């Protein structure tokens, strides 16, 4: 059964780099035609797309975060990683990882979500 | 693509029908529209993808419809566990974007 679990520091200082890992179990992250995404949700607010990485390592980031974000795969550990640099209080959020599956028209939707991890940016 | 959900809050009683709207700022050239449910303190759950396809295990009281710029999620008879926040998302145009959410609350 597919499970995703985010992990990483719950508190990050302003200007530092946020680093999170999504451990995937029950499914190989290098499986053909699946993508992996990071999404965040500030406390009490809506969902914001961060970016996505394909099974082959190709990435796409949302433009507003592109200069600060890196998403990568570690196939040896079956992990998906997120790094967000130069964080501010505005980056405080619950961070989710998710699996993207292709629909019949060839587009990728998120069908599985991790439990999420709260990251607070504060000194 | 900006997605605008309405109403912001829907106050209904159990057993009533709920109709939620999601309007896109540009035409979606295919049906790459999904709906997610988020109960308080929980993870978003996929309800609908491809505008009208129910995800695995989703009850048939949930239905999605629409095309172009206007999409709808309908819940035929509200159960107590359906009171939650619902988000639409377009996932075919980069970057994928979410609507601001509609809260369905008990009247």
């Amino acid at each position: 059964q597919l499970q995703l679990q985010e992990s990483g520091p719950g508190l990050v200082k302003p200007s530092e780099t946020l680093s999170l890992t999504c451990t995937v179990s029950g499914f190989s992250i290098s499986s053909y035609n699946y993508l992996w995404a990071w999404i965040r949700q500030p406390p009490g607010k809506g969902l914001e797309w961060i970016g996505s990485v394909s099974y082959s390592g190709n990435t796409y980031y949302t433009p507003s975060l592109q200069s600060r974000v890196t998403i990568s795969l570690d196939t040896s550990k079956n992990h998906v990683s997120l790094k967000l640099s130069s964080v501010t209080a505005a980056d405080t959020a619950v961070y989710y990882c998710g699996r993207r599956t292709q629909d019949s028209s060839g587009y990728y939707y998120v069908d599985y979500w991790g439990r999420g991890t709260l990251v607070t940016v504060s000194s | 693509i900006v997605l605008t959900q309405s109403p912001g809050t829907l106050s209904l009683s159990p057993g009533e029908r709920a109709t939620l709207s999601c309007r896109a700022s540009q035409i979606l050239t295919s049906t790459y529209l999904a709906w997610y449910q988020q109960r308080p303190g929980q993870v978003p759950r996929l309800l609908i993808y491809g505008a009208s396809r129910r995800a695995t295990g989703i009850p048939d009281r949930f239905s999605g419809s629409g095309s172009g710029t206007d999409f709808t999620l309908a819940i035929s008879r509200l159960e107590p566990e359906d009171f939650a926040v619902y988000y639409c998302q377009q996932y075919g145009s980069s970057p994928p974007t979410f609507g601001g959410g509609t809260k369905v609350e008990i009247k």
Side-chain angles (χ1 to χ4, degrees):
Chain A
Q1 181 181 358
L2 171 63
Q3 292 188 340
L4 299 88
Q5 180 65 62
E6 303 85 351
S7 60
L11 181 64
V12 181
K13 290 183 168 54
S15 79
E16 295 189 344
T17 296
L18 177 162
S19 296
L20 296 177
T21 297
C22 174
T23 300
V24 179
S25 57
F27 193 87
S28 172
I29 62 171
S30 55
S31 294
Y32 177 72
N33 229 15
Y34 287 87
L35 284 66
W36 304 89
W38 284 94
I39 297 155
R40 69 182 182 180
Q41 185 172 35
K45 296 187 178 181
L47 299 164
E48 180 185 19
W49 190 267
I50 298 173
S52 187
V53 60
S54 74
Y55 61 96
S56 60
N58 294 323
T59 54
Y60 181 85
Y61 306 128
T62 200
S64 62
L65 298 173
Q66 186 169 4
S67 63
R68 300 194 290 130
V69 174
T70 303
I71 297 174
S72 59
L73 302 179
D74 183 338
T75 55
S76 66
K77 297 180 180 178
N78 220 41
H79 288 175
V80 185
S81 297
L82 168 70
K83 292 187 186 302
L84 181 65
S85 64
S86 304
V87 298
T88 70
D91 296 310
T92 294
V94 174
Y95 285 76
Y96 297 101
C97 62
R99 186 185 78 169
R100 299 182 71 186
T101 295
Q102 193 176 41
D103 68 15
S104 59
S105 298
Y107 300 97
Y108 292 85
Y109 61 95
V110 178
D111 60 346
Y112 281 91
W113 296 65
R115 292 182 172 271
T117 187
L118 174 63
V119 178
T120 300
V121 178
S122 175
S123 55
Chain B
I1 295 178
V2 176
L3 299 179
T4 301
Q5 291 189 242
S6 61
T9 302
L10 197 52
S11 298
L12 295 168
S13 301
E16 289 193 294
R17 178 181 179 86
T19 303
L20 287 66
S21 172
C22 177
R23 177 163 290 178
S25 61
Q26 302 173 38
I27 291 175
L28 304 193
T29 56
S30 186
T31 52
Y32 38 79
L33 195 287
W35 290 92
Y36 297 90
Q37 176 195 66
Q38 188 174 33
R39 296 170 177 151
Q42 294 193 19
V43 178
R45 176 174 74 140
L46 175 68
L47 299 176
I48 301 287
Y49 65 96
S52 62
R53 295 177 178 264
R54 270 189 301 276
T56 303
I58 301 304
D60 61 7
R61 65 179 181 272
F62 291 91
S63 62
S65 62
S67 64
T69 60
D70 292 308
F71 297 85
T72 299
L73 174 70
I75 311 171
S76 59
R77 297 171 307 280
L78 283 165
E79 298 287 341
E81 62 268 27
D82 299 336
F83 291 91
V85 178
Y86 293 83
Y87 295 96
C88 60
Q89 185 209 20
Q90 67 80 19
Y91 54 87
S93 179
S94 293
T97 48
F98 292 94
T102 289
K103 181 180 181 180
V104 179
E105 66 175 21
I106 299 176
K107 186 174 181 181

